Amino acid sequence: MAIAHVSHGVGRFGRFLLGLIAFVVVSALGGALIAGMALPAIAAAGLGAKDASDHFLSLPTAFQLPVLPQRDTIEAADGSVFATTWDPDNESNRVVVPISQISILMQHAIVAIEDQRFYQHGGIDLKGTLRALVNNSKGDGDLQGGSTIAQQYVKNALELEAGNNAALRQAAAADTVSRKITELRYAISLLQEMSKNDLLQSYLDLIFYGNGAYGVQVAAETYFDTSAANLNADQSAMLAAIVNSPSAYDPFTDAGPVLARRNLVLADMAKQGYLTAKQAAADEKQSLELNPGNQVEGCIGAGENAFFCTYVYNSFIEDPSYGATEAARENLWNEGGLVIKTTLVRQDEASGSEAVADHTYSTDAVATALAMVTPGTGAITAIAQSKPMGNGYGQTYVDLAADPAHGGGEGYQAGSSFKIFEGLAALEDSWNPSTEMSVPSPLEEAGLRMQVCVPGHPKTIVWPGSYAPNNDSGSGFTGTLTEAYWYSINTYFLTLETKTGLCLPATIAQSMGVTLDNDTDTGAPLGQFPSFTLGTNLITPIEMAAAYATIAAHGKYCVPYVITAVTNLDGRRYPAQQQICGQVIDPNLANELTAMLQGVLTEPGATAQGLGIGRPSAGKTGTTTLSIATWFDGFTPQLATAVWTGFISPQPGDFLGYMKIGGKYWDQQIFGATISAPTWQQAMEGALDGQPVERFTPPVGFPPVG
């Protein structure tokens, strides 16, 4: 009968014999057999030492060190970490730290209670094992552990490698001689491959400390909201106490047993010279003094960066570069250990978040969302909104700046900020921006036929008799395209629309990433109807930021993206998100539009006069009927920002005005320049603080603007 097949149900004496047999095998192989003590016990059990020896020798001499699952780490563009995520079912709530970042008191505490002769033995503590065997055979209930830190490391590592395989996990934890001998063999080999400090670090980073905390760094955060490097004596002793049985020693549910065992650890530390008796006695009088850290799984723990985090996650899950199927990509993410570097710029994100919070409160009836995009690259540098992530009052899990594929909603009507597409269509159709045109208010074009385009089905539509839009002033207007932008003259752009048709501005908008279902890869064509240029399609702030970034980049559109690098624990590099850019607008036409939009911020009577940022900038207000949604979208050569303020899910009777927003009561209708533009101004000033002042490229061949 081979030792490996001894029954589990052998009782305390049987377990004593099994442990003694393992001890004898290793002793014999190590030249330290105490034959007179060991062999009678083996003979009494009817077992042969040769079987154990053969099993021992059949094992590989080297133990394969596991790659420890860790949290996924999401970094800003400067390499700083702004979010960590992990799968609670995958032991990945772990942050591996080097021994230099683990308190020496924590190192001493774990050695004192788990392996007192750690620094003297070679992986197997023959003296300690024999002492435990003799003590435990007494049957008085005072059981001692004989496993060294090396043995415990092997056991935990084998369980980790077993994963969800029930048979392998059972084998790794089974109370059998075969398992014990396996541990012994690998424990010896460990210290032939690594130093004591390396082993101690690996052990402290591997083991479970209860309450979802794997590794000493996360344990320090979980129980004391501190780092492994800053653990003091009584904190270290408590963590060392938990290791013996995380389910039995849970300080959050029953502090008594934990306190008692912590004090035992402190006493052992004093006996072994790691603390003075006076220090240990003082620490034993202390309460556990728990200070739970923020151990919230997922992006919700990223605070003001939470929605940028969800955009990163959804971008990863949607991108086939990270797996052939969505399930494969989710598995890769959930395995943990990924380091995802992103386009988030700390200064931009902080400035955007502060600007939003200063103008719209989370509990307001309306919300504000903001997105920043770098012209010429498509890099999203900031996403901010007034509603924080959560399911409480004033919270949401919807990224208000994003589309459904990235955790967002269906978008919002863009109002007059959409007029850029009609203006570009008119310029492309050879309209002279200095030509004066007189337009009425209201504009009545009943029966007018307008060209629209549906792929494969060109056709025309008829202007309905019920549609007679007005200007905000209620009166007609005579002026140029430039002035029409400054004062946002609705009927001017609607009249231009009757000249260019709807196909051209819709095609231009779509070439700049603005589509009906907010997906730039598969987005359906925008709805083409007479109110098109007044922004009645539903659009997201990220789309509008990218569209305005196209103007800033001289007509070069870039698909918005957030991931710049992905690596895993093995050092494998995955591709960054592909940057997809193309020249979609004639550069000179884009520069001419830029020249016109600068006056929106500077010209007397313009819709956003006085809301400039002290450097060349351009933009456009947007206000829908009844101000259901209000916007300001603007840019400099370096940065484009879109800000939306409005009702998340408009209901009949909603009106943006005569209400309290951001702590201020507004006794009038709210327009794009009321909240969205000042938010844009503050956000851009902060984001560009310290950046060089860049000037726009003037257009060629157009008359001077203004």
Side-chain angles (χ1 to χ4, degrees), residues 233-234 237 261-270 275 280 283-284:
D234 55 296
R261 185 165 174 82
R262 183 209 66 177
N263 289 347
L264 176 62
V265 176
L266 289 167
D268 281 351
M269 291 175 73
L275 295 175
D283 283 329
E284 287 174 23

Side-chain angles (χ1 to χ4, degrees), residues 346-361:
R346 287 285 194 178
Q347 183 171 334
D348 294 7
E349 182 78 3
S351 181
S353 296
E354 183 177 3
V356 169
D358 284 350
H359 290 87
T360 310
Y361 294 168

Side-chain angles (χ1 to χ4, degrees), residues 2 21-22 31 44 51 87 96 138 155 179 199 203 232 263 271 274 331 384 398 455 493 496 571 580 596 624 667:
I21 291 167
D51 293 327
D87 181 0
V96 171
K138 298 176 183 178
K155 177 178 180 292
R179 193 268 292 177
L199 174 59
Y203 176 74
N232 62 29
N263 289 347
K271 289 176 184 177
Y274 297 130
N331 286 338
V398 178
F493 288 93
L496 277 183
I580 303 172
M596 292 189 283
T624 66
D667 60 355

Side-chain angles (χ1 to χ4, degrees), residues 4-66:
H5 298 152
V6 174
S7 168
H8 290 196
V10 293
R12 174 175 290 144
F13 183 69
R15 287 194 295 274
F16 160 66
L17 289 178
L18 295 178
L20 184 57
I21 291 167
F23 167 71
V24 169
V25 171
V26 178
S27 298
L29 292 169
L33 174 62
I34 307 173
M37 183 191 311
L39 293 180
I42 297 173
L47 303 173
K50 183 178 183 300
D51 293 327
S53 178
D54 288 346
H55 175 66
F56 185 93
L57 292 173
S58 70
L59 294 168
T61 57
F63 180 66
Q64 184 66 43
L65 300 178

